[in-house]
Amino acid sequence: MVLHSHQLTYAGIAFALCLHHLISAIEVPLDLPQPPTITKQSVKDYIVDPRDNIFIECEAKGNPVPTFSWTRNGKFFNVAKDPKVSMRRRSGTLVIDFHGGGRPDDYEGEYQCFARNDYGTALSSKIHLQVSRSPLWPKEKVDVIEVDEGAPLSLQCNPPPGLPPPVIFWMSSSMEPIHQDKRVSQGQNGDLYFSNVMLQDAQTDYSCNARFHFTHTIQQKNPYTLKVKTTRGVTETTPSFMYPYGTSSSQMVLRGVDLLLECIASGVPAPDIMWYKKGGELPAGKTKLENFNKALRISNVSEEDSGEYFCLASNKMGSIRHTISVRVKAAPYWLDEPQNLILAPGEDGRLVCRANGNPKPSIQWLVNGEPIEGSPPNPSREVAGDTIVFRDTQIGSSAVYQCNASNEHGYLLANAFVSVLDVPPRILAPRNQLIKVIQYNRTRLDCPFFGSPIPTLRWFKNGQGNMLDGGNYKAHENGSLEMSMARKEDQGIYTCVATNILGKVEAQVRLEVKDPTRIVRGPEDQVVKRGSMPRLHCRVKHDPTLKLTVTWLKDDAPLYIGNRMKKEDDGLTIYGVAEKDQGDYTCVASTELDKDSAKAYLTVLAIPANRLRDLPKERPDRPRDLELSDLAERSVKLTWIPGDDNNSPITDYIVQFEEDRFQPGTWHNHSRYPGNVNSALLSLSPYVNYQFRVIAVNDVGSSLPSMPSERYQTSGARPEINPTGVQGAGTQKNNMEITWTPLNATQAYGPNLRYIVRWRRRDPRGSWYNETVKAPRHVVWNTPIYVPYEIKVQAENDFGRAPEPETYIGYSGEDYPKAAPTDVRIRVLNSTAIALTWTRVHLDTIQGQLKEYRAYFWRDSSLLKNLWVSKKRQYVSFPGDRNRGIVSRLFPYSNYKLEMVVTNGRGDGPRSEVKEFPTPEGVPSSPRYLRIRQPNLESINLEWDHPEHPNGVLTGYNLRYQAFNGSKTGRTLVENFSPNQTRFTVQRTDPISRYRFFLRARTQVGDGEVIVEESPALLNEATPTPASTWLPPPTTELTPAATIATTTTTATPTTETPPTEIPTTAIPTTTTTTTTTAASTVASTTTTAERAAAATTKQELATNGSSIWDIRAWANSNWANITWSHNYSAGTDFVVKYITSNKTEKSIPVKAQTPSSVQLANLTPGMVYKLWVFPIWSSPSEHSYITFTTSSAYTKNHVDIATQGWFIGLMCAIALLVLILLIVCFIKRSRGGKYPVRDNKDEHLNPEDKNVEDGSFDYRSLESDEDNKPLPNSQTSLDGTIKQQESDDSLVDYGEGGEGQFNEDGSFIGQYTVKKDKEETEGNESSEATSPVNAIYSLA
């Protein structure tokens, strides 16, 4: 339910309409003789429609009724002679009728109306009559306009002059509006400006249109056609002004009108316009930017708005500005407008006519329309400039005086009559009035009166003798009695008594104070089932003496009460509710004085009734039916009915209050009570118009607030506390601003809260000054510079003052220091720091609170030729009690300049003499980068760049490097290079180990910061294998590819930050990217102790400062091990997410463990993967991933197998077997005969012999006679060379023999052939060799 209170609707509107009468002058009743008064006239500049008749208004009142006459262009206008002109009866309004023909232009001119009767003549203002004109557009031929793309262009409109001037707008010939933006816009002169022309501007034509106000016609100019000549590229240009021209212009404007300043600029890209006022801010609350910031409008211009304004047009190519000097002139305006003067015989009086303007207006007095100098002499009248003094006036001296104030920009004319009357008091209002008002509302009792001399009027209540004025009452000069708040005790009969020397008269007004109309129980939001019977409550409490009317609205429209609805005294019942009944229902309770309303929303559900029980209801329902009782001055009892707790017991009630004086509509917590009570005794503060509401709280949450209670007004008292937080500080050098924390609504304790501000110089003999203000600040002007003041702020209301306040100390405004530090001396400490000493300024020259000394310094140049440096000014601050300090973080080998100032709260003082000093050489920063290229296993190429900050003359580079394999490191080698050398090749002595490089640049001072990098890992280091697992080397060959590593060190600053003088020895953090060009990357199973990760990265910090870094991936063909480091709290679970190059995505949750790792299985060989690691409660960052590639097949290890242990063991076993076989052969030979060997010695192996190819041996060949043919075979030595056999019986010949055959007698016939092959193997490439097992089989 929503309540809307409208108790002020009727009485409040009536009071507002009549409030301006409270200060108006007393008027003479029309039944008394009086001179004429102009009551209505046409405007000074009167433009009429030529199609209509002309009405020139002039109406006046007076007794006798005035007669009217007119002048036209300063001459008498004879209305009777012109049949088209007539004058309205009992009025001076002229009517010029053109129904019978005639030209309105013939009646243009300056008209003035004269209203006369026996007591004087009143004049109207001079009315300048003009006929509206809408001339045709002159015919002209418009040529096609050719313009280069990017060039500026203005299309001129030049509309025909109209009266009033026409409204200009641009459209195409098809009547489509031209789109305008900061590039294309219309100026206030009507022209269309293009800051730069674009190709799309030629897609339409452009026509200027003029709309004339009175004739309601639109005239169109012949359209412009554009032809845009394109260029290869539009050149970007700096801005230049298209309007106004040049760098400065001036503009004059009259006070009170709107000032429009305009700047339109060309340029590519289109410039942005910004506005400034020289020497200050743009006028606050009066400025408005228009036309895409190209126009600045200042409304209601005053003299303070004069000055120099400038517009700044800027784009990325530059900026330009135009200065406009604004001069504000003023037509005359009133300071004191003369008012009617009513005098009794023998009384004195005066008419005052004061006006101002620029230039200063001249004042001219007239009497009855004639210059006062030419009027008959009047001994009781004396003219003194802008004042006419009347002394001892007598009946018959009545007249109408005119004051004319004029300058070159306009004039003012005012009529004021002097009426000499002798009239006893009279009451002009009806007798025995009855005024009804709602309690606590503002009201006014009227008692208009008249008399001459002007009577004195007093108010009394219930016949008591005390005059009513002050407190809740305020008596106005026109006889009205105002009550700021009507209370029950204010009811009664009020008597107004008017008295002058001629008599006394009185009248009575009866005031009745009524109770407000309140809805104590209004309708509530409901959700009901279709077909049910909801009831909407509306219980009203009202004043029983007023007639109450209750009406219902549905969706803010009157509700039709049909046969399905029943309206009762306290509610509305709807029978058989349907979907069409859903909506807002408002109950409106009204009387003749006020009204109140309450609204609720009815929701109709088309669902079974048993589902209504399932609707979510968790928080408690709002409390209802709030009532106030036991009303006392400082307390009240509040009672409420609890709402449904919705299955969660209510634990607390929160009582809130709202007051309507200081913060209306804002609710504040008052107190809190247990959930088992439904009433509370509330303590109250004085003079607060309280309204309460209650909120219920349970374990689920808080209910909606209840409907507000009725208001309760406590009586006032003087404040009990004073403002806190009193401070005094200067905002300018000649003032002190005193501020404080104001009292809130419950501390004011009474009406008209104000503050008495007292201050004096901190001197017991000084006198106190005071000022009473309502705002929580006061500015004391014309104060000496920075002197202490004693300050007091005391609260006061209409009931009295608060206790005596505390005294606070404040200071007046500071001014800039007058002196600079002297005797500034510099001593260079090292290449990045200097020591400063100076003589402090005298305290009398600081003119404020000394804050600090500042040393401003800037790098003027480098001692190295052709090195650009930033000359940005920096400063170092030193405490005010110091006269020495150190300036550090300087760049070595540079020329610096330095100056010092002293600073107070206002700012910097004058600067000291500029000191120049050089800094000596220092050590350089690290080289910008160190790139490592590994083209083969024999060499490593290094390339680096010069340091970003040489900090001196480079004398060379120092390179230290060492080999390492796991935890083992070799000896450190050192190389020195010239300053121009940036390349070096390292010859590897160990093809397996990696290398770590340390590179520094050096100057004469020493070595600089180091950059550290390691050579890339070899491909065989891709997958570590547990030590307990041994696998033979794969036989698949892999051509080694060059591996490149690029390193960028974070030790090199990206901004111009000077290095420390002593180089750090710590290894800077680097980010390494390794790129391989191999066709496939294969993880080989080796026993290397450690290998590099496929990719690493460091993620961005989380919001709590935790992060993940050093993510590593070891990949094989179908699996990968993932590890990472982090500083999240223990127990944090993670998610590993990876995506293949064909967008297949998977995620694996990882429980908290140490170290953090996971194995990815079932990967696709030869696939590129992106991988993220992030906490399970978070989401991955877009850029915080690594990439790795799985291998496509097992590859051959790129190492020398001759150094491998397994190979040496195998060869030893083969040699032992060969020795045994040779012994067997010799034994067999000693038993058998001779056998031919030489005949078959050179016969080669049959290439079609499959047994040889696969290294197998067929034992059946020992028994086959048909296979008794020589088996040629090649023999390869263990050192990798192929040799020709020299001996038939050499033991070497049996190292790798073909198939052997034994004769029947057991003798051995060795048939062998040496295969010649002069090809040499290189690097780790393996030549194809016969398996050693074949040799065993051939000798068996």
Side-chain angles (χ1 to χ4, degrees), residues 533-590:
M533 187 179 66
R535 176 175 174 79
L536 303 173
H537 296 281
C538 186
R539 193 170 73 209
V540 183
K541 181 179 179 181
H542 72 291
D543 194 289
T545 62
L546 299 177
K547 182 181 178 181
L548 176 68
T549 302
V550 177
T551 57
W552 285 88
L553 306 177
K554 181 178 182 294
D555 298 328
D556 298 327
L559 176 65
Y560 170 72
I561 307 295
N563 54 8
R564 292 191 307 108
M565 298 183 182
K566 182 180 180 182
K567 179 183 175 183
E568 300 168 322
D569 292 340
D570 59 349
L572 175 72
T573 303
I574 305 176
Y575 298 93
V577 67
E579 286 88 345
K580 65 179 181 180
D581 297 322
Q582 180 169 296
D584 277 313
Y585 286 81
T586 305
C587 170
V588 181
S590 59

Side-chain angles (χ1 to χ4, degrees), residues 723-854:
T724 58
V726 179
Q727 294 180 342
T731 59
Q732 298 182 24
K733 65 180 182 180
N734 62 342
N735 75 358
M736 178 179 64
E737 183 180 64
I738 303 173
T739 59
W740 58 89
T741 303
L743 304 184
N744 59 33
T746 58
Q747 297 169 338
Y749 283 16
N752 196 18
L753 177 65
R754 50 200 179 270
Y755 303 96
I756 303 173
V757 185
R758 300 186 182 94
W759 70 93
R760 71 174 181 182
R761 292 277 294 270
R762 194 175 183 182
D763 185 352
R765 297 170 298 176
S767 58
W768 288 92
Y769 299 90
N770 66 82
E771 189 74 28
T772 301
V773 298
K774 291 190 175 182
R777 64 183 292 269
H778 177 66
V779 180
V780 180
W781 293 96
N782 300 321
T783 60
I785 295 175
Y786 199 66
V787 295
Y789 279 83
E790 294 180 343
I791 303 171
K792 295 181 180 181
V793 180
Q794 185 178 25
E796 181 186 32
N797 60 23
D798 288 351
F799 291 94
R801 296 181 180 179
E804 185 66 20
E806 298 180 20
T807 301
Y808 298 86
I809 303 299
Y811 287 85
S812 58
E814 301 179 60
D815 199 359
Y816 295 106
K818 296 189 295 185
T822 57
D823 196 21
V824 178
R825 298 187 180 183
I826 297 174
R827 181 168 57 88
V828 177
L829 298 178
N830 51 48
S831 60
T832 62
I834 61 171
L836 277 178
T837 61
W838 62 90
T839 300
R840 296 195 294 263
V841 299
H842 196 274
L843 293 179
D844 293 341
T845 66
I846 295 176
Q847 300 195 105
Q849 183 179 8
L850 174 61
K851 291 180 62 178
E852 61 191 11
Y853 285 91
R854 287 184 181 178

Side-chain angles (χ1 to χ4, degrees), residues 599-620:
K599 179 183 290 188
Y601 192 83
L602 179 66
T603 303
V604 180
L605 298 178
I607 57 176
N610 57 359
R611 290 187 58 191
L612 293 176
R613 295 190 296 270
D614 300 332
L615 293 176
K617 289 185 179 180
E618 299 176 350
R619 298 185 303 170

Side-chain angles (χ1 to χ4, degrees), residues 1112-1135:
R1112 296 177 178 266
W1114 285 270
N1116 204 321
S1117 59
N1118 57 0
W1119 58 269
N1121 281 334
I1122 312 299
T1123 63
W1124 63 92
S1125 301
H1126 66 90
N1127 57 2
Y1128 285 91
S1129 59
T1132 301
D1133 295 340
F1134 294 90
V1135 174

Side-chain angles (χ1 to χ4, degrees), residues 482-747:
E482 180 185 354
M483 277 181 262
S484 59
M485 184 174 58
R487 299 163 298 187
K488 284 290 186 179
E489 55 266 30
D490 294 326
Q491 291 188 123
I493 297 176
Y494 291 80
T495 304
C496 64
V497 179
T499 306
N500 69 6
I501 59 175
L502 300 179
K504 180 175 72 172
V505 66
E506 64 180 38
Q508 292 184 342
V509 180
R510 184 159 59 94
L511 176 66
E512 294 182 357
V513 180
K514 305 296 184 180
D515 292 328
T517 302
R518 301 288 190 189
I519 297 178
V520 295
R521 184 181 183 184
E524 298 179 349
D525 295 341
Q526 297 185 43
V527 180
V528 298
K529 177 197 170 193
R530 183 182 59 189
S532 60
M533 187 179 66
R535 176 175 174 79
L536 303 173
H537 296 281
C538 186
R539 193 170 73 209
V540 183
K541 181 179 179 181
H542 72 291
D543 194 289
T545 62
L546 299 177
K547 182 181 178 181
L548 176 68
T549 302
V550 177
T551 57
W552 285 88
L553 306 177
K554 181 178 182 294
D555 298 328
D556 298 327
L559 176 65
Y560 170 72
I561 307 295
N563 54 8
R564 292 191 307 108
M565 298 183 182
K566 182 180 180 182
K567 179 183 175 183
E568 300 168 322
D569 292 340
D570 59 349
L572 175 72
T573 303
I574 305 176
Y575 298 93
V577 67
E579 286 88 345
K580 65 179 181 180
D581 297 322
Q582 180 169 296
D584 277 313
Y585 286 81
T586 305
C587 170
V588 181
S590 59
T591 65
E592 60 182 281
L593 298 179
D594 67 342
K595 69 177 180 180
D596 195 11
S597 64
K599 179 183 290 188
Y601 192 83
L602 179 66
T603 303
V604 180
L605 298 178
I607 57 176
N610 57 359
R611 290 187 58 191
L612 293 176
R613 295 190 296 270
D614 300 332
L615 293 176
K617 289 185 179 180
E618 299 176 350
R619 298 185 303 170
D621 292 345
R622 68 177 79 187
R624 55 188 175 88
D625 295 350
L626 273 65
E627 290 189 2
L628 299 178
S629 59
D630 299 344
L631 306 179
E633 284 198 6
R634 297 294 177 265
S635 66
V636 69
K637 183 177 182 181
L638 176 65
T639 306
W640 62 90
I641 297 177
D644 193 344
D645 63 5
N646 292 324
N647 303 319
S648 178
I650 297 175
T651 58
D652 296 277
Y653 286 105
I654 300 173
V655 177
Q656 296 182 327
F657 76 92
E658 180 261 351
E659 53 82 28
D660 60 357
R661 287 193 179 90
F662 290 86
Q663 291 179 294
T666 301
W667 291 89
H668 309 273
N669 287 343
H670 183 281
S671 49
R672 197 178 187 106
Y673 300 93
N676 58 354
V677 302
N678 68 335
S679 64
L681 186 64
L682 309 179
S683 58
L684 308 179
S685 296
Y687 196 68
V688 179
N689 194 15
Y690 282 100
Q691 186 175 228
F692 301 98
R693 69 181 187 185
V694 182
I695 299 174
V697 181
N698 64 9
D699 291 338
V700 180
S702 301
S703 71
L704 296 174
S706 69
M707 292 298 103
S709 69
E710 61 182 285
R711 288 197 178 272
Y712 178 60
Q713 169 72 51
T714 56
S715 59
R718 68 182 184 88
E720 295 181 358
I721 62 173
N722 284 305
T724 58
V726 179
Q727 294 180 342
T731 59
Q732 298 182 24
K733 65 180 182 180
N734 62 342
N735 75 358
M736 178 179 64
E737 183 180 64
I738 303 173
T739 59
W740 58 89
T741 303
L743 304 184
N744 59 33
T746 58
Q747 297 169 338

